[in-house]
Amino acid sequence: MEYEIADLMNVLNGINWSITARVLKKSNVLPYQKERGTGKYFTAILIDKTTEIRAKAFGDDCDRLFSQLQENNVYNIKNGQIQLADKKYNKSKNDYEIIFNETTIIIQKFGVTDIPSHPQLKTIENVFSMDQNTLIDTIGVIIEIEQSKEIKKNNSNDTYKLRNIILADCTRSVTVTLWDIDATNFNANEGDIMSIMGGKIINYKNVNKISVTGSSEIIINPYWNETFDLQIWYKEFEKKKLLNLSQVSIGSQELNMFEISQINRNKTINERILQQNKIDDDLISKRLLELNDEEHKIKRERTDLNFKKQRLSIERESIKSHLEN
């Protein structure tokens, strides 16, 4: 029987059910170790029109099914065990998960266009009304990239690295924190579009931020409609002076566009805006000079024409007088 992912909780056993879903993300084959011995497994995040769910395969099923699933492809997946998700290890949005087993059958489907390529994305302004430790899927423009920092852990000589990134959309901006390897290996530029899947909401100094954890996923410049919309917005943002501090509400810590602390850090983008405005002013000044020269040229031509007109009038009167005599 065909189900949507949101209805899999109604499956009482692992037999005679199927879903049609897109593979949003697939892990590598990973090792694990338990008291009974070692093994291997992989995970995959599946998505359809209703929601997403994590699936796992172990041992022989891992070997059999790993190569059958490729990210972004759509599959009909039949059978497997449906069970409650262990939220200690499973950070997906679904309270249930799929365990692939020997009864699982996977068949690729082609020409399916009604299954989304990503979860529903929230605008950045939603970050500031969400509870701590909840997860968010969002997308924005990278406004600023800070250098990575090495921080000493409390009560220890050990250190960890972090890097803050300022992400913005047309609603607001937010600080995104990367840790350790993600902080060191981050490879993107200001102006790139960055999506975050499963970012964790944290609160630092009474301001909500996004923390990228081990279960989060970052995609730079994804081929999505939202990416193209943000690129258009960002071009307009660079051309206009949108950093308007006149609409500050101190009590709610809100700005018309961005928090004051973030605006103060956005020197690079301000310089770009000023540079673009200077270029525009120079072009306008140059055009005004050209128009002024053209106006003087027209005036000279008009004067010459008036002079010629007067000369012709004199010649006409002279000829007329000569004929009368």
Side-chain angles (χ1 to χ4, degrees):
M1 181 176 179
E2 181 84 10
Y3 287 84
E4 292 181 328
I5 291 177
D7 297 326
L8 282 179
M9 65 181 69
N10 298 319
V11 177
L12 300 179
N13 55 55
I15 302 175
N16 296 328
W17 63 264
S18 68
I19 58 172
T20 298
R22 187 184 303 276
V23 179
L24 184 64
K25 181 181 180 182
K26 186 181 78 168
S27 73
N28 295 322
V29 174
L30 304 169
Y32 71 86
Q33 185 170 2
K34 293 185 177 181
E35 295 180 356
R36 292 176 293 179
T38 60
K40 55 187 173 181
Y41 73 100
F42 78 89
T43 66
I45 303 297
L46 309 175
I47 186 173
D48 68 4
K49 292 179 290 186
T50 62
T51 187
E52 64 184 60
I53 193 169
R54 190 176 80 157
K56 298 174 71 174
F58 296 89
D60 293 340
D61 297 312
C62 173
D63 292 334
R64 180 173 65 91
L65 300 175
F66 180 79
S67 62
Q68 294 187 35
L69 293 175
Q70 301 297 328
E71 289 184 358
N72 204 41
N73 288 345
V74 177
Y75 300 90
N76 182 258
I77 300 172
K78 298 180 180 180
N79 302 333
Q81 181 182 349
I82 310 298
Q83 65 180 33
L84 282 170
D86 185 347
K87 288 302 181 180
K88 182 178 179 181
Y89 303 102
N90 185 343
K91 303 299 183 182
S92 70
K93 301 171 186 175
N94 205 311
D95 291 332
Y96 293 82
E97 65 182 6
I98 301 172
I99 305 298
F100 293 148
N101 56 30
E102 67 277 2
T103 67
T104 301
I105 299 172
I106 297 175
I107 301 173
Q108 185 173 357
K109 298 193 69 174
F110 299 92
V112 179
T113 59
D114 60 345
I115 295 181
S117 58
H118 57 78
Q120 185 175 0
L121 302 172
K122 293 184 177 180
T123 57
I124 289 175
E125 66 180 353
N126 285 277
V127 171
F128 302 95
S129 60
M130 296 177 67
D131 295 331
Q132 287 192 68
N133 299 322
T134 54
L135 301 180
I136 187 172
D137 300 326
T138 190
I139 189 170
V141 184
I142 299 174
I143 298 297
E144 182 180 352
I145 303 172
E146 295 184 0
Q147 295 294 323
S148 61
K149 306 173 185 177
E150 196 167 86
I151 307 297
K152 188 175 181 180
K153 295 182 179 179
N154 293 332
N155 303 320
S156 172
N157 291 326
D158 295 335
T159 61
Y160 59 88
K161 290 186 177 181
L162 68 83
R163 184 196 299 267
N164 287 326
I165 295 169
I166 309 302
L167 199 67
D169 64 11
C170 62
T171 65
R172 204 163 172 186
S173 70
V174 67
T175 298
V176 178
T177 301
L178 307 176
W179 306 93
D180 294 324
I181 294 177
D182 289 332
T184 303
N185 296 337
F186 185 73
N187 184 22
N189 301 305
E190 292 179 6
D192 283 344
I193 310 300
M194 183 171 82
S195 71
I196 303 172
M197 304 298 173
K200 184 178 180 181
I201 303 298
I202 60 174
N203 187 277
Y204 181 70
K205 294 184 178 180
N206 296 321
V207 177
N208 277 7
K209 301 182 179 183
I210 299 176
S211 176
V212 175
T213 68
S215 59
S216 304
E217 181 183 11
I218 290 176
I219 304 176
I220 303 298
N221 296 322
Y223 197 74
W224 301 341
N225 291 334
E226 292 84 354
T227 300
F228 306 129
D229 293 340
L230 282 166
Q231 288 171 339
I232 293 171
W233 171 79
Y234 183 63
K235 288 180 181 179
E236 292 300 316
F237 172 79
E238 282 195 310
K239 290 179 181 178
K240 299 177 182 179
K241 295 180 179 179
L242 296 182
L243 301 180
N244 182 2
L245 300 181
S246 62
Q247 300 186 22
V248 180
S249 174
I250 300 299
S252 61
Q253 295 183 336
E254 290 184 353
L255 292 176
N256 183 38
M257 283 295 298
F258 302 114
E259 297 173 7
I260 295 177
S261 60
Q262 292 170 348
I263 292 176
N264 289 336
R265 292 199 298 268
N266 285 347
K267 293 181 180 178
T268 301
I269 192 62
N270 283 329
E271 290 171 357
R272 289 184 185 175
I273 293 172
L274 291 173
Q275 183 181 16
Q276 182 63 47
N277 288 337
K278 185 178 184 303
I279 292 172
D280 291 342
D281 289 342
D282 290 343
L283 290 174
I284 291 172
S285 298
K286 182 179 179 181
R287 182 56 181 157
L288 286 174
L289 289 173
E290 291 174 351
L291 291 173
N292 190 48
D293 290 341
E294 290 178 6
E295 184 179 5
H296 285 301
K297 182 179 179 181
I298 291 172
K299 286 182 178 180
R300 287 196 302 269
E301 290 177 351
R302 185 182 293 116
T303 300
D304 290 341
L305 287 173
N306 287 334
F307 177 77
K308 290 179 180 179
K309 182 179 179 180
Q310 291 175 1
R311 189 177 64 184
L312 288 172
S313 178
I314 293 172
E315 290 178 355
R316 186 183 296 109
E317 290 296 328
S318 176
I319 293 172
K320 182 179 179 182
S321 176
H322 178 75
L323 291 174
E324 288 177 350
N325 292 331

